[in-house]
Amino acid sequence: MRYLVLIIVWVNFIGCSSSDNIGNEESPHLKYFGFAITDCGTNYTNQVDDFVNLIDMCPEDLSNLESRVSANILNNNKVLIHLQGLFINALEDANSPSGFRYELLNNYEALFSTWAQNNQFLTAESVAAFDFADEPAWNQMNMNDLAIVAARIKLSFPDIPLMVIEAPDVIDQLVISNDIDWIGFDRYGTIDPKNDPEYLQRLELIKSKRTNANQKLVLIMESQWLDFYTDAGFEESILIDMANSYFELAQSEDDVIALISYLLPSGFDTPDQKGYFDLLPDVRTVIRTIGNEIIN
């Protein structure tokens, strides 16, 4: 879910923008809400714990995570654990759209086996999913390697879902194996995804990548602001309508299991990036309300 390319969509938005009011429709399929970068370097869980139930966390090495997981799953949370750094190397590649190419480390099997052995305590009771390759096609990862890694993780943790989020413009290159359980894409700068034709076309495309009826969808909404948006003539308050639109879309799509917002801290991708903590109070209130609607 890394910030790579931002696309501003404004066509016909005024005529179809969503209301400031959050709907109360029952959406039993929509089980999780959380932010990217919740416990990755700095742990922000205690600052959002009252309106999220999904804690995004990143292992820093192969060691045991029990104390971190135990702290993060208080109040009925589950963790979303990024495994990519354990066995994938990001090499600079001018021919890749991201500028990087993912390659499996030669000793990925030994590295992951050690991590899995150290973290045998992990179960589906505490882990919502493993995120193991962020935007793999965008980073020119070999799709056979993607399937190999998925199968290897499933061998050690058969009951924990695996998640893959892709970049919007390379979904056609993505290959999803049966071992992958949650799929989605990010398209930052989409003002009204519920009514945006290009966004909805990509949603249909990601659906077509599923290989079995049990695979679920994840929507990535936006809780960031950049100077680029201001320079394009937008005001930060537009994030209110954007958040509502993502939520309404998540409610209306029966296979959406999680809504994940990008992101909590400021300055993670670029110095001008404002994360959730530094957004306008009214924007934060709407995102908080959405979270409470989902988790309660």
Side-chain angles (χ1 to χ4, degrees):
M1 294 172 282
R2 187 183 301 107
Y3 158 61
L4 293 167
V5 175
L6 291 161
I7 307 165
I8 293 295
V9 179
W10 183 244
V11 178
N12 296 326
F13 172 65
I14 296 298
C16 60
S17 65
S18 51
S19 165
D20 287 356
N21 297 319
I22 304 295
N24 292 315
E25 299 175 10
E26 291 292 329
S27 303
H29 60 276
L30 183 55
K31 298 182 183 299
Y32 299 107
F33 177 77
F35 291 89
I37 324 299
T38 305
D39 180 14
C40 294
T42 300
N43 193 339
Y44 301 103
T45 299
N46 63 358
Q47 298 181 56
V48 295
D49 198 38
D50 58 326
F51 68 103
V52 306
N53 63 357
L54 189 65
I55 305 300
D56 182 44
M57 62 181 291
C58 309
E60 298 170 355
D61 50 40
L62 303 179
S63 62
N64 180 277
L65 293 175
E66 191 159 8
S67 61
R68 281 178 66 187
V69 170
S70 296
N72 283 336
I73 63 173
L74 297 176
N75 299 325
N76 297 315
N77 297 329
K78 288 190 177 184
V79 291
L80 171 66
I81 301 179
H82 286 272
L83 299 179
Q84 177 174 313
L86 300 180
F87 42 67
I88 292 176
N89 196 15
L91 304 173
E92 290 190 13
D93 186 343
N95 295 319
S96 170
S98 71
F100 293 92
R101 183 181 74 257
Y102 287 169
E103 285 193 357
L104 283 180
L105 293 169
N106 291 333
N107 60 340
Y108 85 91
E109 167 68 33
L111 292 170
F112 181 73
S113 295
T114 298
W115 185 86
Q117 183 66 32
N118 290 339
N119 289 280
Q120 287 183 327
F121 75 95
L122 295 172
T123 69
E125 294 298 313
S126 59
V127 183
F130 290 131
D131 181 6
F132 68 102
D134 181 37
E135 298 180 334
W138 184 250
N139 288 281
Q140 296 293 284
M141 185 174 184
N142 182 292
M143 291 294 111
N144 287 332
D145 287 348
L146 186 71
I148 287 170
V149 171
R152 178 62 189 88
I153 298 170
K154 279 292 186 184
L155 186 64
S156 292
F157 301 98
D159 299 325
I160 296 177
L162 303 184
M163 182 181 84
V164 169
I165 303 298
E166 189 51 85
D169 296 331
V170 292
I171 295 171
D172 58 328
Q173 300 174 29
L174 182 66
V175 178
I176 295 296
S177 67
N178 276 327
D179 290 315
I180 297 170
D181 306 283
W182 297 5
I183 61 173
F185 67 98
D186 47 40
R187 188 174 186 262
Y188 304 120
T190 303
I191 303 300
D192 187 19
K194 183 170 65 80
N195 297 295
D196 183 83
E198 292 187 18
Y199 186 93
L200 295 176
Q201 182 211 26
R202 286 169 172 81
L203 180 59
E204 290 304 311
L205 185 55
I206 203 77
K207 288 180 185 179
S208 74
K209 293 294 177 175
R210 295 182 291 184
T211 57
N212 66 72
N214 295 320
Q215 289 168 324
K216 303 299 183 184
L217 300 173
V218 176
L219 296 189
I220 308 299
M221 65 179 264
E222 199 159 6
S223 54
Q224 67 171 350
W225 192 255
L226 301 113
D227 289 347
F228 176 66
Y229 293 169
T230 302
D231 294 343
F234 296 99
E235 296 183 359
E236 190 177 316
S237 59
I238 204 167
L239 290 177
I240 293 172
D241 288 313
M242 181 190 289
N244 283 333
S245 183
Y246 271 109
F247 180 43
E248 291 164 10
L249 181 60
Q251 288 178 305
S252 68
E253 290 283 341
D254 289 343
D255 288 335
V256 172
I257 193 168
L259 182 62
I260 300 174
S261 195
Y262 193 86
L263 77 173
L264 274 179
S266 296
F268 186 79
D269 297 305
T270 61
D272 68 300
Q273 182 184 41
K274 291 170 63 176
Y276 170 83
F277 292 132
D278 295 313
L279 297 178
L280 293 171
D282 287 350
V283 175
R284 296 199 307 271
T285 295
V286 166
I287 294 173
R288 177 181 292 270
T289 300
I290 289 171
N292 277 316
E293 286 282 333
I294 293 171
I295 73 172
N296 292 318

